[in-house]
């Protein structure tokens, strides 16, 4: 079907190394996305709703990196791709890590 995009591939946090998680969170754009998702309800933020200074292709890459690190889950709702932070699953795998990176200090 023309215009249909592939479903996003997700990695469960249990299958993620601490190095992969830290590398994903080390990028300022990805950290910004995670922080915004942390302050939003599950499935309320579409990819295009984030105020970031990167183009569409780069934003897609950042979300793919966050999915591969087990931090974000995405699903399609019509033409929109919506996101949720996998807070509970990530916390179970890396206790305290998300809280540390979400701090404002």
């Amino acid at each position: 079907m023309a215009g249909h995009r592939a479903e996003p591939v997700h990695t469960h946090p249990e299958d993620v190394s601490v190095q992969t998680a830290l590398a994903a969170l080390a990028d300022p754009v990805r950290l910004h996305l995670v922080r915004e998702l942390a302050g939003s309800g599950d499935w309320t933020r579409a990819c295009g709703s984030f105020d970031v200074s990167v183009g569409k292709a780069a934003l897609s890459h950042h979300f793919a990196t966050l999915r591969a690190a087990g931090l974000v889950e995405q699903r399609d709702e019509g033409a929109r791709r919506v996101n949720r932070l996998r807070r509970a699953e990530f916390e179970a795998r890396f206790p305290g890590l998300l809280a540390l990176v979400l701090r404002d200090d």
Side-chain angles (χ1 to χ4, degrees):
M1 174 189 324
H4 182 73
R5 60 181 164 187
E7 287 291 318
V9 176
H10 298 93
T11 303
H12 195 280
E14 290 176 358
D15 300 323
V16 174
S17 70
V18 70
Q19 293 86 355
T20 298
L22 291 173
L25 290 165
D27 181 88
V29 171
R30 290 192 291 268
L31 183 57
H32 177 77
L33 295 172
V34 167
R35 285 183 169 162
E36 285 203 23
L37 281 171
S40 304
D42 286 357
W43 310 118
T44 61
R45 298 293 301 270
C47 293
S49 72
F50 295 89
D51 184 21
V52 290
S53 61
V54 298
K56 197 171 183 178
L59 185 60
S60 292
H61 170 75
H62 286 302
F63 274 114
T65 301
L66 291 172
R67 287 193 318 266
L71 280 154
V72 170
E73 186 175 11
Q74 297 180 306
R75 70 179 183 206
D76 291 336
E77 291 183 353
R80 296 174 5 130
R81 180 161 283 178
V82 292
N83 304 277
R84 83 168 183 96
L85 183 62
R86 298 178 79 171
R87 188 187 301 262
E89 302 100 304
F90 197 80
E91 176 65 20
R93 175 70 172 108
F94 303 109
L97 179 58
L98 203 51
L100 281 173
V101 299
L102 294 175
R103 287 190 347 200
D104 281 337
D105 56 345

